[in-house]
Amino acid sequence: MAGIRWKVSVVAAVSLTSAACGRTELDTLGEADDVATGDGGPLSQDGDDRPPSDDPVPPPVSMEGCGNGVVEPGELCYGDMIVFPSRIDPCGIDVSDLDGDGHMDIVVPNSDFEHAESTENFASVLYGDGAGGLSSPAPFPAGGDFPVGVVVADFNGDGLDDFAVTNSASSQANILLGGGSRLYSEPMPIAMGPTPTLPAAGDLNGDGIADLAVTIGEGNAVAVALGRGNGTFEARVEYTAAMIPWDVEFMDLNGDGNLDVVVTDIAYADVEVFWGDGSGALSRGEPMLVGAAPRAMTQADLNGDGLLDLVVAHYAAVTLLVADGEGGFWTSPDIAGGEDVAEGVVADFDSNGSADLAILAAGSTDITFMVATDYLKYATADTKLVGTLPSGIRVADFNEDGVPDLAVSNQLDNNVGLILSNP
């Protein structure tokens, strides 16, 4: 596939506004067709060229000691999903200790397509109790219309978590500043292009202040708004992407100390690259080839070399983009996990010191635990059912036993599910 850029057949009737919130109708996407010429560039390399490794092979996974309260290396112990109401249409998810009590919490945007629950727009916070429980959803006005994405960051530098919500139908993002004691400011809007989709936060210009990047669906762009340090932002600057930009991440791709931006495009089988120069400006690079209809991305050090790699979920599988230490990446063979893969996350789920995968699949409504068996090789170890149209997944220790748990936003079931460890 090197040197070929694939364009996926996208049904014209698919609404970008609906696509912003998980209702993508990705089951209507055909196989990759319509070849468009283009070079994959230096970041796209054949997975067969991956470097050798002398890392020891992890021990086989076991479930025999589960439930005794003792964390054992190689032990994979997870219960079935426990659900907590989230208000209507939890269309994305992020996690943090939002109220500063030492327990992990969850925030979701409630898209409420038809305003069935309220004429207003909300994002809801579910506060964790440290024992694997979550509170009833606390709704906060999200401004705009049709909230579809959320990211947590400290946008005003006061040490308290804030969050940004993208509002797809009103072409804006809104900032809610944390005030402590589970209080948030009124939403403060930032103008975005048409159909803003998913947000990311990072310090793009190195001034110690969180900046915001948002994919602009109908504008075929990624927008960057530089933070001023008081919760307000400079006017956005848009950078042309490909056809339908979806997820966005900040990361230092080439190790120059400046954050870059990567964007998935669900109409092409690639990840778009935008190089950061340290001043807050971006320049478009060559795409990295992955698979049809790439959606969510996750950053993690998959092979323990101290470099951040990317896990990219696409229509049928996940692809690993592994940093080579010289500013490039090589691509792994696809790793299958369920039907209509929505997202993959990384953690040491079996407590043996290796990075494992949990793959969320919207079509088969399940999570597949893939444990590392050798150098960047994985085997299916367990599968857990989730809800209808899962829209996002995050890793955190919600029951505080030292083993990572999973949180999933189940959009059509109007709940958040926790899959808790049970060593």
Side-chain angles (χ1 to χ4, degrees), residues 340-400:
D340 185 6
V341 173
E343 192 165 1
V345 293
V346 180
D348 183 9
F349 295 111
D350 59 357
S351 304
N352 68 354
S354 298
D356 307 310
L357 305 174
I359 300 176
L360 174 66
S364 49
T365 62
D366 58 27
I367 292 172
T368 302
F369 286 93
M370 308 286 292
V371 298
T373 59
D374 202 343
Y375 182 74
L376 296 172
K377 294 182 179 179
Y378 302 86
T380 300
D382 199 6
T383 301
K384 297 293 182 183
L385 292 176
V386 295
T388 309
L389 196 62
S391 57
I393 182 172
R394 293 293 183 270
V395 177
D397 187 2
F398 290 99
N399 58 5
E400 299 176 10

Side-chain angles (χ1 to χ4, degrees), residues 87-89 111-120 414:
R87 296 177 59 91
I88 194 169
D89 273 336
S111 61
D112 197 0
F113 296 96
E114 299 174 350
H115 291 287
E117 190 173 66
S118 173
T119 57
E120 297 183 65
N414 304 327

Side-chain angles (χ1 to χ4, degrees), residues 70-127:
V70 179
V71 178
E72 298 285 352
E75 183 180 75
L76 186 76
C77 301
Y78 286 88
D80 293 333
M81 183 179 68
I82 305 169
V83 298
F84 301 87
S86 64
R87 296 177 59 91
I88 194 169
D89 273 336
C91 145
I93 188 171
D94 207 0
V95 298
S96 185
D97 179 10
L98 290 163
D99 58 357
D101 66 353
H103 308 315
M104 296 302 293
D105 311 309
I106 293 173
V107 59
V108 297
N110 300 111
S111 61
D112 197 0
F113 296 96
E114 299 174 350
H115 291 287
E117 190 173 66
S118 173
T119 57
E120 297 183 65
N121 298 280
F122 293 97
S124 294
V125 176
L126 290 76
Y127 296 101

Side-chain angles (χ1 to χ4, degrees), residues 234-296:
E234 303 291 343
R236 77 184 187 278
V237 177
E238 292 190 8
Y239 298 90
T240 300
M243 192 169 183
I244 308 178
W246 183 271
D247 197 12
V248 58
E249 291 276 351
F250 287 102
M251 63 186 301
D252 183 1
L253 292 169
N254 55 2
D256 64 355
N258 301 321
L259 284 183
D260 310 301
V261 172
V262 288
V263 176
T264 56
D265 190 302
I266 63 172
Y268 285 96
D270 59 35
V271 174
E272 298 281 325
V273 175
F274 297 85
W275 300 108
D277 65 3
S279 72
L282 300 175
S283 59
R284 190 176 180 184
E286 295 290 342
M288 296 183 283
L289 299 177
V290 283
R295 298 171 68 180

